[in-house]
Every structure is written in structure tokens, then in C-alpha cells.
Amino acid sequence: MSLFKHTSAEMQELLKNKEVTIADLTAEAFDRIEALDGEVGAFLALNKEAATAQAAEMDQVPFEERGPLFGLPIGVKDNIVTEGLETTCASKILEGFNPIYDATVVQKLRAAGMVTVGKVNMDEFAMGSANENSSIKPVHNPWNFNHVPGGSSGGSAAAVAAGEVPFTLGSDTGGSIRQPAAYCGVVGMKPTYGRVSRFGLVAFASSLDQVGPITRNVRDNALLLEAISGVDANDSTSANVEVPNFAEQLTGDIKGLKVAVPKEYLAEGVSEGVRAQVQAAIDKLKELGATVDEVSLPHSKYALAAYYILSSSEASSNLSRFDGIRYGFRAEADNLEDLYLQTRAQGFGDEVKRRIMLGTYSLSAGTYDAYYKKAQQVRTLIKQDFDEVFKNYDVIVGPTTPTTAFKLGENLEDPMTVYANDILTVPINLAGVPAISIPCGFDADLPVGLQIIGNYFAEGTIYRVADAFEKATDFHTKTPQTWEVK
Amino acid sequence: MAKLSVEEVKHVAKLARLAITEEEAEKFAGQLGAITDFAAQLNELDTTNVEPTTHVLPLVNVLREDVAAEGLSRDLMMKNVKDQQDGLVKVPPIMAE
């Protein structure tokens, strides 16, 4: 059995009782990566030498000076910059890029005493829902290697599901933490927009992007979110709000809690298997004392179109910085104009090009009002839908994804089919509210995710519901076959 | 909203500084057309007098004290530059001779 079957509290207990050392935990991560990652494909750059040295030093720190995450290994999504550790966003255009500073979240991991073991794979520039857009290698779902892990934080979710590391950071622009967490049967939180600093997160769509934690259980997720949250002078969109002790709110008690179930989230397109598991989860919440009502988020069906226009528009602007001049890949060319054209043509993959072009088109004179401005107005309507429901309810629940993980290669030729996977997650980013995905069952041996959505900065309430559900069920204790290896 | 023509795709690619082949332009025209067709459903909604949302948090003019602070060192910032000379970034000619 791997040490990573334990919760962080149990690992701290083992450390305290001197049954294991931080060096052991770090070695366990690298051993499991070596044994499993050839098949999983979750890791890109490894930080073995520095992490091993750091672990040995940290073993000397007295126990009374350690926090709840001290000495525990973590993988960081490859769009979060790490000083001296190659960061590529799984794109050829950033090949060999060695960041010269740490993202704020990485500084915070360091302050919490976590050991960064490496960078995890993703869809190129976080654009994708299957991790098949990584320019380096695809990621395989640990529950069934023929299936995708979801995306874009596919490496983050698969690494935790396979037990390579107990913690990872992902990023979520339209579902990129929650959808892979659902597909891989782990816990993934997209915090309120502004909760976590984006400084050092390579920007995809700045008004939607958030960094968040992926873990095997709710309590560990809450601990990690607390560690990375907070206002940051380097990100003017980070919110100056108090960072609560989320773990303290895990009372296990949800009696009288008001739960809303949007009828649109269980409508056509949601598979029978997913619907059955989510319905059972909703019944469980009732059993635990919550009151459940059906509500409507009437503009849900328009979210996907608005999302792809807005996120692609912001991306087309953000990705203009990749020009081959100051970092990463540079194509050979005789003049500067050709250098830009060729570097970007050779450096970006097809999905990234599609979105840059869609965004450029949406922002062009003549189409701006019909696409970009229209999508922004629809965004207002979607946000109002959520505001209306949260006047009367504590949380909104539904499935995270319409289906379980699909097969690798199945949807490669048709971008629209893959986009449809995000239909239940994108409205949350457009509104900016927080949401989690937790395991709530299986359909044909593949995990199903329950999505719990909260009001602005109400992550504590989401965690309380998720934890109460987790305490009453055993889905989070299930592990794929890969756990038995080594 | 109409389907994108191959010419429009080439124009957009040029604006976005992406070299594109004829074959690619055709492929992308089909794929982008499918996406813009899908986006046309937004027209079903009446958005007269609806304010556009650019940002979800009520943030206006986030300011800090104007205090000088040390920036990143020049050497460090040049670390990832492929082609450089005397501390400057080197690029091919901007104008033809």
C-alpha cells in the first residue's frame, strides 16, 4: 500500500511518530512516478535533486514549527511558473523556458513547507477537455488507460488518482480542474474568482482563470486552498477578503441546509449512468438533513457559446506575447515579420491556433458587437441567474460532466463535441462563483463527479457539504488498479 | 453571423501573426464556421439594455503606495533570450535593405 493512501493528518502523525520521514515521502513520490508514469503520462519536468535535498533539510525542522501540509509532496500544473524548473504549458513555443521567479501560489506552497516534486501535464495553454492537446504527450486515465483523464488539468487529476502524489495544483478557466477531477474520481476545487492570486499563472483568459487544489479528500483540499489563498499586490484582481480556516468549517452537519438542483443540469445530454449517481447523491444530502428544491438557471444553454467567444478573445490577446523574441522557441527567419509568423505557426498546436483565430475574429471591427459584446451581455444574464438562486439557497448541486471519461482519440476531429463536455462547468466561471467536484459513484467502472456550487467566497459552505457527503459515503476511498503496482 | 470564408480565415491568421497554408485555411474555415454557427444561438436572447460583464468582482482602481522597489535584474531577464549581444535582444532585420 502506498503512503499516499493516507490523509495529510495521518501522514503528519506518521512523521511525528518517526515511522516515516519527509525524505521517505518525497522518495515515495519519485518511486511511484517512475513505476507508473510511463503509462499515466502525468509528469513533465521532475524536480528530483532539489526536492530530495529540500526534504532532507526539512526533516530537521522541529515538529512544533510545522503546519498541516509541511513536508508533503505536490505536483504543479505546467502553466504555473516555477523558478529554475522548466515551465512549458505543454507547448512547443515555450520549449526550454526556465522561469526567473516563482508564481505567488508556488511561494505560498514553499511557505507551507510543501515539496514540489515536478510539473504536471496539461492541454497546451490549458485549452482542451481531454489532455489530448498536450504537445508533449497525452495523459491516460488511471481508471482505464484507454480513456482520457479530462482536461485541461488532466495531469493534475491523473497524478492524484494514480497515487503518484497526494496533492496537485491545477487551473480552471471553464472546468479545467473540476472536469478532470470528475473523470479521475478525485476532489477538485475552482475557487471564487479573485480568491487565489494569478501572478505567475500563464494567462489563458484573465477574467476567468483561477488556480485551485486537487486532492484525494475534501479536508486536504480545504487545507491546500487555505494555503494558496489571499490578496496579492502583484495581482490587482486578487480579492482583499479574509481567508477563513476552511477545515474548521467541516462539521459534518448539513441539517437545514438549502440545496438547489437546476433542472437544466439534469436535462438531455446527461447520460443515464451519470444522472442515476447524481440523483443518488442528492438523495444522500436529503438523508443528511438538507432540503432540496428544483430551480432554474434559464440561461445555462447559452453559457457554452458565450464562454468560447470570451475565453478565446482574451486568449488571442494574452497569447500575443509568445513571439519568439524573449523566451521559448524561435523559428529561423530572414526578417522580423516572418520570425513572428513562423515561430507562432510552428510553436502553437491546432487547438491553440483555432482559439487565437476565433478570438481575433470575435474582436475584429465589424464582428465585435455581434460576438464579443453580445457574449459579455449574455455573461451578465448568466451571472444574474446565479445571483437569483443564491438569494434563497446555500448551494447548487448537479453533475460535473454530462458523461464519464470518453476514449482517447474518440473526439479528435471534432472540436465542438469536446467543447460540449464543458456545458455544466463553464457557467460557473462566467459567473465567477466557486465550485467543487467530488467523487459520487461509478458508471461502468469509471468515476462520476458531483458538482457543488457556492456563492461568492462561500468555499467554506461548499467544503462543509462535500465533507458531510464524503463522511457518509466511501467513494473517495476507492482507488484504481494502479495503486497495487509497486 | 455567417460562415467564415477561407479568405476571412487567412485575414484573421494574418492579424494574429500565424503563418497558414492553403490547406490549413480550408480546414480552419470549416471548424471555425461550426463554432460561429453554434455561437449564433446567442442572437435568440434579447440583450437590449443589458450591461456587458467584463469582470465579475466590483473592483475599481486598485491602488498601492508609490514606493520604489527593486525590480528583476537585467541579467536574469536575459536568461531565456535565444539570441543576444551586449545585453540586448537580437532579432533579424525589421526592414528590407
Side-chain angles (χ1 to χ4, degrees), chain A residues 9-30:
Chain A
E10 288 164 352
M11 285 190 268
Q12 292 302 344
E13 204 53 37
L14 291 172
L15 286 168
K16 214 165 185 176
N17 297 337
K18 306 223 176 342
E19 287 172 59
V20 298
T21 61
I22 295 170
D24 293 337
L25 289 168
T26 309
E28 173 86 351
F30 288 112

Side-chain angles (χ1 to χ4, degrees), chain A residues 23-58:
Chain A
D24 293 337
L25 289 168
T26 309
E28 173 86 351
F30 288 112
D31 287 352
R32 287 189 66 88
I33 291 167
E34 194 174 336
L36 297 167
D37 212 52
E39 285 183 287
V40 179
F43 274 86
L44 300 176
L46 292 179
N47 191 31
K48 194 163 182 177
E49 207 176 310
T52 305
Q54 186 195 348
E57 258 173 50
M58 290 173 71

Side-chain angles (χ1 to χ4, degrees), chain A residues 155-464:
Chain A
S156 305
V160 172
E164 294 177 323
V165 280
F167 297 91
T168 53
L169 289 185
S171 70
D172 191 317
T173 304
S176 282
I177 288 173
R178 291 158 288 152
Q179 186 251 19
Y183 279 7
C184 292
V186 293
V187 179
M189 171 69 108
K190 198 275 311 174
T192 308
Y193 183 83
R195 173 66 91 185
V196 178
S197 167
R198 294 183 296 108
F199 180 69
L201 170 69
V202 178
F204 162 11
S206 311
S207 80
L208 303 163
D209 298 340
Q210 267 292 287
V211 175
I214 296 183
T215 58
R216 294 195 59 237
N217 65 75
V218 173
R219 178 171 289 266
D220 285 352
N221 204 280
L223 291 171
L224 182 51
L225 180 61
E226 185 185 338
I228 61 170
S229 292
V231 67
D232 178 10
N234 285 325
D235 174 7
S236 61
T237 63
S238 63
N240 194 3
V241 294
E242 189 203 350
V243 178
N245 179 333
F246 297 117
E248 231 168 43
Q249 300 178 47
L250 308 181
T251 58
D253 181 9
I254 56 165
K255 279 189 196 69
L257 185 101
K258 295 180 80 181
V259 176
V261 178
K263 61 179 182 199
E264 293 82 2
Y265 283 27
L266 287 168
E268 57 171 325
V270 176
S271 75
E272 275 312 312
V274 168
R275 197 191 314 245
Q277 297 304 321
V278 169
Q279 195 53 57
I282 292 167
D283 292 343
K284 179 61 80 178
L285 295 179
K286 273 188 210 164
E287 210 179 284
L288 294 170
T291 61
V292 178
D293 293 321
E294 187 183 278
V295 299
S296 176
L297 294 168
H299 297 96
S300 298
K301 73 174 266 212
Y302 301 102
L304 202 59
Y307 169 78
Y308 275 93
I309 290 175
L310 294 175
S311 63
S312 300
S313 297
E314 293 186 27
S316 72
S317 167
N318 276 325
L319 270 61
S320 64
R321 61 171 62 85
F322 301 103
D323 56 7
I325 304 295
R326 292 149 299 160
Y327 35 68
F329 170 75
R330 183 191 273 201
E332 294 291 324
D334 298 335
N335 62 67
L336 190 61
E337 178 75 12
D338 268 352
L339 187 145
Y340 295 144
L341 287 164
Q342 290 302 332
T343 296
R344 290 165 64 79
Q346 295 170 35
F348 290 134
D350 273 3
E351 183 62 30
V352 175
K353 289 181 189 172
R354 260 194 296 277
R355 299 208 198 187
I356 289 174
M357 288 194 282
L358 176 65
T360 306
Y361 180 71
S362 305
L363 292 170
S364 301
T367 43
Y368 182 92
D369 280 354
Y371 286 84
Y372 185 67
K373 189 176 168 210
K374 183 80 183 181
Q376 285 187 319
Q377 288 173 310
V378 173
R379 185 177 185 180
T380 303
L381 299 175
I382 287 161
K383 182 183 185 303
Q384 286 169 353
D385 282 356
F386 282 98
D387 289 342
E388 204 51 44
V389 171
F390 282 125
K391 278 182 193 161
N392 299 310
Y393 293 91
D394 298 304
V395 290
I396 298 172
V397 304
T400 309
T401 56
T403 65
T404 54
F406 51 90
K407 284 195 172 139
L408 265 102
E410 203 170 78
N411 293 320
L412 275 180
E413 291 310 309
D414 181 9
M416 278 309 303
T417 314
V418 181
Y419 293 179
N421 253 280
D422 302 339
I423 191 142
L424 301 169
T425 49
V426 296
I428 286 83
N429 298 76
L430 290 172
V433 292
I436 202 169
S437 179
I438 58 170
C440 76
F442 292 85
D443 179 25
D445 296 326
L446 287 168
V448 175
L450 177 73
Q451 184 169 220
I452 306 169
I453 307 159
N455 207 343
Y456 296 93
F457 300 106
E459 289 90 345
T461 308
I462 295 177
Y463 280 133
R464 181 158 62 92

